[in-house]
Amino acid sequence: MAITDDVLVIGGGLAGATAALAAAERGVQVRLLTYKQSTLRHASGLIDVLGYAPSGKGPLADPFDTLETLPEGHPYERVGSDAVREALLFFDAIVGDAYAGEHTDANALVPTSSGAIKPTARYPAGVAPGLASDPRETLLVGFETLPEFDAPLAAAHLEETGAPFEARGVTLSFPGIRRDDAKVTRYAHLLDRDETVDVGRGETSARAALAAIVRDQLEGESRVGFPPILGDDNHATVRRDLEERLGVDVFEVPSGPPSLPGMRLEDRLYDALDDTGVRVTTGVPVVDYEGADNGRSGASSTKRIEHVLVDRKGRDVPYRADEYVLATGGLVGKGVRSERERVFEPIFDCHVEASPDRYDWFDGDAFGDHPFARFGVTVDRELRPLDTEGDLEFANLRAAGAVLSGYDFAAEKSGSGVSLATGFVAGDRAGSEVRG
Amino acid sequence: MSDATRPTDDHVPGDDEFDPIEVFPEADEMDLRPGADNCYKCSTCDTNCPVAEVDDEFPGPKFQGPEQWRLKRQSDHDVDDSIMKCSNCMRCDHACPSEVPLSQMHNSARGEYVDERMSKRSLEYWRNRLLSNYRLMAHLGSKVPRLTNFVMGLTLTSVFNEKVLGITSEREFPEFATETFREWWRARGGSDASRERAQAAREERGESGAEKRVAYFHGCYSNYNTPEVGKALVRVYEHFGYEVVVPEQRCSGTPMFANGMLDDARRAADTNVSELAAAIEDGADVIASCTSCSMSLRQEYPELFDIDGVDDVSSNTWEGLEYLRVHEDLEGELEGTRADVPNLAYHVPCHARNQGLDGQAIEVLTTIDGVEAQDVGESCSGISGTYGWKEEHYETSMQIGEEMFEHMERADGDTGLTECPTCAMQMEHGTGYEIKHPLEVLEAALVPNSPGTERAATDGGIDETVGPNREGQDEPFGAN
Ligand SMILES: Cc1cc2nc3c(=O)[nH]c(=O)nc-3n(C[C@H](O)[C@H](O)[C@H](O)COP(=O)(O)OP(=O)(O)OC[C@H]3O[C@@H](n4cnc5c(N)ncnc54)[C@H](O)[C@@H]3O)c2cc1C
Ligand code: SF4
Ligand code: SF4
């Protein structure tokens, strides 16, 4: 017996989780199956819709103006800007007050750990007091043991960038952390549980100790920015507690991987999956499929996926569904793989648009326009993968997220937005298809 | 060959001086380079490590794996002693987006560390050896279970354990059953009796097909401590018409990997692989009720040992519910059955997650009327086999478990559910809950009149009735 559900979503990143939630909204039985952990855990937790046009123009004040003008084949062009709006509304409902930014179409400007300013559509509530459009003076606090965030340098960069406020940075020693390579989860755990720490003058609680050393540094600033380590499960409480102790607003400055804001978003999404009754299977990959012709001939002779095969430690187990969503990520998530001679999609062998000459994959300039960034499967407007001829690969497969071709998320700052919009559309269509 | 015709006496480690000593290949001869080179330093593994989250001294899986391996390759670097702080929960394996074989690296580094750096005369070595050879203790203990339980419960014993051996006095030793699973199995008539029952069940089910056969890998814990889990497995499989055989077996090796005792593990693996491969040859699939045992047979054996038949065993081993779900219409069969066990607080063992079994117990069991189960979240229970028994790790283990305890207490009811016997120990230790195995719930629904379900004093009675617990038959679970 195959393990059977109505919709099977393959891949558990932002695209897959959104697809599974959207399909479940249609009242069908959904399973999300994912192999390893997704890029959500590296990502900043910001939901970037479009920061820069594909031409490089930007930062964009309003992503929706540009959305209408994207070239054919771009994932946003495929689903249309209404779907992007709908997907954002869907996201807002899932994350509730953990995120902000829903009151406007315009991009918010968020300072990042390098002191750059990033245009983004949605941001964690804990990031909100730090927005660059807010003119209040700012103190940035870094820690000796977290060198990735150099607070004085970031403050200097912010001022150079022309942020409309004064920023100052200090580097302190985090109470209770001795190792110079302590994990971000260790910092968060200390604050989450408000563990007792030894600060030389006896023992005190981690939050009180942190507030005490930061208070000494305040010179009238009304907000303080920290690297994103202010708790995990109890993040909101930790932040509020620090605000009360310091008497100023406290925010986090989004950083590179590994990133707690990304992990917190992952937790939210997986809690929502659990609440919605989506079945979640992790730790094992889909490796193959078995298909069948639908018996018809001509243009509608498209194959259907009967079931996929999941490798459970050396033994293939069949999983069956009516509709499938492929959300396995790009080259990082391993949804698209490359060998010396080819780039391919490993489960269904969907057609991947790529030059046969690997020397064409990279631009000569390291920061140039790399074709490989856009490798992925090509889809129709229903997000169904197309073969070399432009015909459907399968009647019951849709694709979402970084596995799609036609966009460069890093250059456009569109990673999460594309995953959200295409995940929403793919899941919603798959779910309604089952219902008939 | 069925096990009724072969001597069923257990071999225990130490009985086998005459075994040819296998030369275990040096850990660093294992070619882990492709794995190490796959690491792109994203630190996803580090953010999943429960030990690094609570223990300042632990440098985390990225260091233990790819970084240490690179250091060793570049210079004559000794394995860092922090490797002994890794609990072998394998969560880093489950996390790594780049498929770096972290736990394999940890296992071989630990083996090398114990071989080369740990004094064979130290108490730590002998304590670890004692803990990882639980089966030896259990084998002796189960000969005189009541006496052992009594002695283990004495304050004097626990003071000795902690002060001399470094085994924490915070935990109570698990009680030994007065009758081991194997003793029960033999008294019940072994696989000959099972074949007859299976045949009767197949006739009743109207199945005309070929014989169905499984080989049960019970592991140490359900043999010596919780034979009711093994009995439940036998009755449930017989209900579906499977003949059960119980091959000779030794420890799956899980506690030995975690303690770097790779030679001990290898010796046990030699027995297990040859016995199980023979059963597979006879047409059986291998079933384990403990998810760490199935993990070991499926993943660690082929990663660490080059034994004839090891791949066959790996690809034909299944977890107890998993096999039925794939080979039978398990959910269909459970439709309309009943067992009164509301409010179960379910914990997924880390090793179950690595096998893709995370949602399974709840998905399957909640199709039974009267069963409600709540997942208490994906945090690690913290005990990781022998880890939480060591005096120096007890605190860490309880700090890791804290999240699970809190979630359990927040869930309704006070019965826990999990597949892993050591997670069960930790769940009970942290909350005082009674802990069940999913197979026991299945048994209650499908074989309601069995002695296991009724907890009759006469375990081993042959007159077990078959027939699922259909709606209307009110059969309270676990009543006596
Ligand atoms: C370092 C980094 C930083 C980023 N920062 C930002 C940012 O600041 N803002 C932003 O908007 N975007 C950011 N992004 C981009 C964004 O995270 C991704 O583009 C986007 O979310 C991709 O999501 P996804 O769900 O399509 O794929 P992924 O997140 O890659 O998830 C794919 C999942 O599929 C699973 N999978 C793969 N193959 C199989 C298989 N065969 N069977 C089962 N499961 C499988 C993988 O294990 C993985 O869990 C960043 C990306 C990276 C790598
Ligand atoms: S998760 Fe994998 S790739 Fe990332 S740092 Fe750890 S071992 Fe390296
Ligand atoms: S096995 Fe567990 S304890 Fe050991 S390094 Fe990996 S995550 Fe940490």
Side-chain angles (χ1 to χ4, degrees):
Chain A
M1 288 282 297
I3 294 173
T4 304
D5 300 276
D6 296 326
V7 174
L8 179 67
V9 177
I10 309 165
L14 182 57
T18 309
L21 289 166
E25 284 278 294
R26 296 282 175 178
V28 298
Q29 181 60 59
V30 183
R31 180 182 301 276
L32 180 142
L33 191 144
T34 190
Y35 185 23
K36 300 289 184 175
Q37 283 179 356
S38 75
T39 59
L40 268 172
R41 294 182 83 91
H42 324 171
S44 57
L46 301 175
I47 302 295
D48 306 333
V49 168
L50 192 68
Y52 295 82
S55 65
K57 183 172 145 271
L60 301 171
D62 184 339
F64 285 92
D65 289 345
T66 310
L67 235 50
E68 310 289 349
T69 66
L70 292 172
E72 188 171 335
H74 192 288
Y76 285 142
E77 178 275 329
R78 300 278 87 182
V79 297
S81 60
D82 285 347
V84 181
R85 276 179 214 278
E86 234 184 301
L88 284 170
L89 282 175
F90 187 65
F91 177 80
D92 295 338
I94 295 165
V95 293
D97 55 11
Y99 268 73
E102 70 281 10
H103 55 285
T104 171
D105 269 0
N107 271 329
L109 299 175
V110 174
T112 67
S113 58
S114 60
I117 289 181
K118 188 172 189 200
T120 192
R122 296 289 187 275
Y123 42 93
V127 165
L131 291 193
S133 48
D134 179 338
R136 286 181 294 162
E137 276 178 44
T138 302
L139 174 67
L140 296 180
V141 175
F143 299 103
E144 285 154 5
T145 43
L146 280 175
E148 307 82 41
F149 181 49
D150 182 337
L153 192 70
H157 278 174
L158 271 177
E159 294 203 342
E160 279 166 34
T161 323
F165 52 82
E166 277 178 39
R168 201 166 55 84
V170 293
T171 304
L172 307 176
S173 140
F174 195 96
I177 297 269
R178 282 181 303 274
R179 297 192 71 84
D180 55 13
D181 65 344
K183 313 305 165 224
V184 290
T185 46
R186 177 72 195 132
Y187 292 84
H189 187 91
L190 275 174
L191 294 171
D192 257 355
R193 305 241 156 218
D194 207 10
E195 279 185 4
T196 307
V197 294
D198 187 348
V199 288
R201 321 177 285 279
E203 296 196 328
T204 175
S205 77
R207 293 180 206 161
L210 179 60
I213 57 167
V214 173
R215 195 182 305 115
D216 288 347
Q217 302 291 333
L218 277 174
E219 292 176 4
E221 291 93 348
S222 57
R223 54 177 175 170
V224 182
F226 290 91
I229 43 107
L230 303 180
D232 185 1
D233 292 344
N234 302 330
H235 165 60
T237 313
V238 170
R239 196 166 67 88
R240 209 171 312 124
D241 194 359
L242 290 174
E243 286 187 331
E244 270 173 27
R245 289 173 192 273
L246 290 167
V248 299
D249 283 354
V250 165
F251 64 94
E252 288 187 333
V253 182
S255 72
S259 156
L260 277 157
M263 291 179 228
R264 295 182 202 129
L265 176 57
E266 184 178 59
D267 286 346
R268 282 254 156 189
L269 293 169
Y270 278 76
D271 284 349
L273 290 168
D274 190 33
D275 292 343
T276 328
V278 172
R279 297 170 156 186
V280 176
T281 300
T282 68
V284 284
V286 174
V287 289
D288 206 352
Y289 75 99
E290 270 162 35
D293 286 322
N294 67 3
R296 279 171 284 182
S297 59
S300 58
S301 69
T302 314
K303 278 206 319 193
R304 284 186 73 82
I305 298 161
E306 283 287 301
H307 58 250
V308 295
L309 294 171
V310 173
D311 175 5
R312 288 209 183 152
K313 306 281 169 206
R315 160 69 74 159
D316 289 348
V317 173
Y319 280 69
R320 212 200 76 77
D322 287 349
E323 298 291 322
Y324 298 82
V325 176
L326 180 69
T328 43
L331 285 165
V332 176
K334 301 244 190 293
V336 177
R337 295 200 183 225
S338 66
E339 284 168 0
R340 280 197 70 78
E341 298 303 324
R342 65 184 196 127
V343 188
F344 62 104
E345 182 280 298
I347 301 176
F348 302 105
D349 204 14
C350 289
H351 167 61
V352 172
E353 194 69 58
S355 164
D357 183 352
R358 68 192 316 265
Y359 293 101
D360 288 346
W361 294 359
F362 306 92
D363 193 87
D365 172 6
F367 297 100
D369 183 17
H370 295 297
F372 77 86
R374 286 196 208 89
F375 287 170
V377 302
T378 313
V379 289
D380 71 357
R381 290 199 159 77
E382 286 261 304
L383 299 179
R384 290 172 298 197
L386 301 173
D387 63 18
T388 28
E389 310 291 314
D391 294 328
L392 293 190
E393 292 267 16
F394 301 95
N396 57 344
L397 178 68
R398 287 174 179 73
V403 75
L404 295 174
S405 68
Y407 75 119
D408 178 346
F409 79 83
E412 298 170 7
K413 305 280 177 246
S414 63
S416 305
V418 166
S419 290
L420 203 59
T422 55
F424 175 75
V425 170
D428 182 67
R429 299 287 185 280
S432 49
E433 199 82 12
V434 172
R435 296 227 102 184
Chain B
M1 179 165 75
S2 87
D3 70 342
T5 58
R6 55 168 96 109
T8 44
D9 194 17
D10 293 351
H11 281 271
V12 281
D15 278 1
D16 46 19
E17 277 98 291
F18 302 110
D19 266 11
I21 303 296
E22 297 282 350
V23 184
F24 177 70
E26 283 302 317
D28 50 11
E29 276 173 25
M30 231 176 268
D31 188 14
L32 294 171
R33 176 174 180 157
D37 289 350
N38 269 350
C39 171
Y40 67 110
K41 303 195 174 73
C42 67
S43 297
T44 302
C45 52
D46 283 348
T47 62
N48 277 274
C49 175
V51 175
E53 183 177 328
V54 301
D55 181 353
D56 290 324
E57 321 241 293
F58 187 60
K62 175 158 56 97
F63 172 80
Q64 297 303 347
E67 280 174 7
Q68 174 149 270
W69 201 83
R70 265 185 232 124
L71 281 176
K72 280 181 58 63
R73 202 165 34 143
Q74 281 154 13
S75 58
D76 198 13
H77 225 87
D78 279 337
V79 176
D80 192 77
D81 57 8
S82 62
I83 190 67
M84 297 310 284
K85 282 179 172 286
C86 161
S87 76
N88 200 34
C89 68
M90 299 171 106
R91 288 174 85 88
C92 45
D93 253 20
H94 182 264
C96 173
S98 203
E99 301 174 317
V100 175
L102 286 150
S103 69
Q104 185 184 11
M105 292 177 153
H106 302 346
N107 276 333
S108 40
R110 213 169 8 239
E112 185 176 327
Y113 176 82
V114 170
D115 257 9
E116 293 175 8
R117 312 234 357 247
M118 195 185 267
S119 160
K120 306 297 167 294
R121 285 198 291 273
S122 68
L123 264 174
E124 185 185 3
Y125 176 80
W126 285 103
R127 189 266 325 257
N128 289 359
R129 229 169 149 192
L130 186 69
L131 281 174
S132 58
N133 285 289
Y134 178 70
R135 193 162 164 275
L136 172 62
M137 283 202 287
H139 179 72
L140 298 173
S142 70
K143 300 271 185 227
V144 278
R146 289 191 181 85
L147 176 65
T148 310
N149 292 337
F150 172 73
V151 172
M152 285 307 195
L154 291 179
T155 316
L156 187 68
T157 310
S158 72
V159 168
F160 173 81
N161 281 342
E162 177 152 315
K163 293 284 174 280
V164 181
L165 290 174
I167 296 174
T168 180
S169 63
E170 299 286 339
R171 294 185 191 276
E172 279 171 36
F173 268 88
E175 286 207 4
F176 292 115
T178 46
E179 182 189 40
T180 66
F181 169 77
R182 292 189 81 96
E183 284 164 358
W184 170 81
W185 174 251
R186 250 172 325 215
R188 189 177 181 260
S191 55
D192 289 338
S194 182
R195 191 176 313 117
E196 280 165 31
R197 283 168 206 270
Q199 198 162 0
R202 281 201 304 276
E203 271 160 30
E204 185 160 337
R205 301 170 68 80
E207 286 181 20
S208 51
E211 283 186 18
K212 303 193 281 191
R213 184 181 299 163
V214 294
Y216 179 32
F217 189 85
H218 48 66
C220 309
Y221 209 77
S222 67
N223 187 33
Y224 296 112
N225 302 92
T226 55
E228 60 277 10
V229 173
K231 295 176 196 171
L233 182 136
V234 167
R235 294 187 184 117
V236 167
Y237 272 78
E238 286 173 356
H239 166 83
F240 281 101
Y242 287 88
E243 172 196 345
V244 180
V245 297
V246 184
E248 265 185 58
Q249 52 194 275
R250 296 172 54 178
C251 170
S252 71
T254 303
M256 296 158 180
F257 304 139
N259 284 288
M261 307 288 173
L262 291 184
D263 294 341
D264 288 349
R266 166 73 197 225
R267 274 191 288 276
D270 278 333
T271 306
N272 292 337
V273 170
S274 74
E275 292 291 331
L276 296 175
I280 293 168
E281 185 82 355
D282 284 349
D285 285 310
V286 179
I287 309 295
S289 51
C290 159
T291 43
S292 291
C293 291
S294 62
M295 187 69 191
S296 175
L297 299 179
R298 286 171 141 175
Q299 178 172 321
E300 281 154 325
Y301 276 18
E303 270 181 3
L304 297 170
F305 306 128
D306 184 13
I307 306 176
D308 246 6
V310 77
D311 291 327
D312 267 352
V313 171
S314 166
S315 57
N316 290 293
T317 295
W318 303 76
E319 185 275 339
L321 258 63
E322 178 190 24
Y323 186 82
L324 290 176
R325 199 173 188 199
V326 174
H327 292 87
E328 302 291 332
D329 180 9
L330 180 57
E331 280 146 298
E333 187 92 12
L334 290 171
E335 202 82 34
T337 61
R338 179 164 191 91
D340 286 310
V341 262
N343 306 333
L344 288 164
Y346 175 66
H347 164 74
V348 194
C350 299
H351 291 180
R353 286 153 51 88
N354 286 41
Q355 296 166 73
L357 302 175
D358 37 3
Q360 174 184 272
I362 291 192
E363 286 170 25
V364 169
L365 296 183
T366 49
T367 55
I368 304 168
D369 288 331
V371 176
E372 283 158 40
Q374 216 174 323
D375 195 321
V376 296
E378 44 117 67
S379 60
C380 174
S381 78
I383 189 167
S384 288
T386 60
Y387 189 80
W389 281 93
K390 297 175 184 167
E391 207 245 319
E392 71 273 24
H393 295 150
Y394 176 75
E395 273 304 314
T396 304
S397 143
M398 292 304 280
Q399 273 178 298
I400 295 172
E402 212 167 327
E403 192 176 328
M404 180 189 75
F405 302 146
E406 285 171 6
H407 287 193
M408 283 177 73
E409 266 148 21
R410 240 176 280 154
D412 311 319
D414 51 13
T415 307
L417 181 74
T418 195
E419 288 91 346
C420 168
T422 57
C423 289
M425 249 186 248
Q426 176 86 332
M427 291 164 83
E428 187 188 353
H429 182 62
T431 61
Y433 287 15
E434 182 198 357
I435 315 296
K436 300 240 164 269
H437 189 287
L439 281 165
E440 294 179 82
V441 183
L442 267 194
E443 181 191 21
L446 293 173
V447 202
N449 300 322
S450 83
T453 304
E454 292 180 4
R455 289 284 156 89
T458 53
D459 267 356
I462 311 284
D463 299 317
E464 295 165 12
T465 38
V466 205
N469 191 3
R470 292 289 162 202
E471 196 77 87
Q473 270 176 274
D474 201 345
E475 206 58 66
F477 177 79
N480 39 37

